[in-house]
Amino acid sequence: MSEKNEVVQESSCCSTQRRSFCKTVVAAGIGAAAIAPPVASGVRVVLSAPEQKGAAGKFYPLTTLDSLGTAPQKFLITDDVKDAWITSPRQKIGSVFLLKKADGGVVALQTVCPHAGCTIEAGMKMNPKSKAEELIFYCPCHVAHFDLNGVRLDEVCSSPRDMDTLETQIEDGKVLVKFEKFITGTADKKPA
């Protein structure tokens, strides 16, 4: 009888250890299943970051050459914006000024002030050089003035550089602009 009792006690002890082990394994499995989706998403974001492309450096058709004059016209740049999971169609990514040069070419200027990123406007203002009321570009934030080629007009200017020019192409009478953003607050024009 005592042998049977010992076997039952051993069996009971093994059964308790087995149950404890099984509970631990099940709990670990549930915990792993609970954290797997966020961990997988994080790994996906980290690994896909080099593959994500911004809109910068892409040519956008904006207007026709015939519709441009010598006065600046402002054009919005829109594109589909993608983050890690969502694509938002036709979002504003920036704007540019376009105007026709005397030789028939096109000047394309970024509307972001190189000083602190405010939006540059075009309008009749006093030109600091000629002291005459003229159509010029100006930054309303820190009173910087630029001529229609984007060159600084102020003797002492808050903007560290001229307005940022953008590359253009004319194809079948259409004006395409290579839109890019640049780092503000520096004398050098560097892509952002």
Side-chain angles (χ1 to χ4, degrees):
M1 205 151 172
S2 71
E3 225 177 88
K4 248 185 179 182
N5 212 6
E6 283 177 28
V7 171
V8 170
Q9 282 181 347
E10 270 184 46
S11 173
S12 171
C13 178
C14 289
S15 177
T16 304
Q17 288 177 345
R18 220 175 300 137
R19 253 184 268 134
S20 177
F21 175 75
C22 287
K23 285 180 183 177
T24 302
V25 168
V26 168
I30 291 172
I35 66 166
V39 168
S41 295
V43 169
R44 181 177 164 228
V45 168
V46 169
L47 295 178
S48 69
E51 297 172 8
Q52 294 176 7
K53 295 179 182 175
K58 178 178 172 183
F59 277 93
Y60 294 88
L62 298 182
T63 189
T64 61
L65 186 58
D66 293 338
S67 68
L68 288 179
T70 55
Q73 295 178 41
K74 192 175 188 177
F75 293 89
L76 290 178
I77 308 284
T78 61
D79 203 351
D80 295 346
V81 176
K82 297 176 185 178
D83 69 10
W85 297 276
I86 299 171
T87 298
S88 302
R90 299 195 44 79
Q91 298 296 307
K92 177 186 173 189
I93 60 169
S95 57
V96 299
F97 285 111
L98 295 179
L99 59 144
K100 196 183 286 187
K101 297 191 288 188
D103 66 3
V106 176
V107 174
L109 298 164
Q110 175 61 269
T111 61
V112 174
C113 182
H115 175 226
C118 294
T119 302
I120 292 175
E121 300 294 334
M124 297 300 289
K125 292 283 183 187
M126 188 190 75
N127 181 327
K129 282 192 175 177
S130 69
K131 306 295 184 209
E133 188 94 356
E134 295 177 19
L135 177 59
I136 60 173
F137 293 112
Y138 63 95
C139 178
C141 295
H142 302 101
V143 196
H145 300 90
F146 307 88
D147 69 15
L148 294 183
N149 290 313
V151 177
R152 291 172 289 180
L153 294 170
D154 303 286
E155 298 250 345
V156 177
C157 188
S158 57
S159 180
R161 63 180 184 266
D162 296 337
M163 289 174 68
D164 296 319
T165 56
L166 299 169
E167 187 180 338
T168 62
Q169 291 179 354
I170 311 296
E171 292 181 6
D172 299 322
K174 294 180 184 161
V175 179
L176 289 83
V177 175
K178 184 178 181 183
F179 182 73
E180 294 184 87
K181 294 181 180 179
F182 301 95
I183 296 171
T184 59
T186 66
D188 297 324
K189 178 181 166 183
K190 295 179 184 174

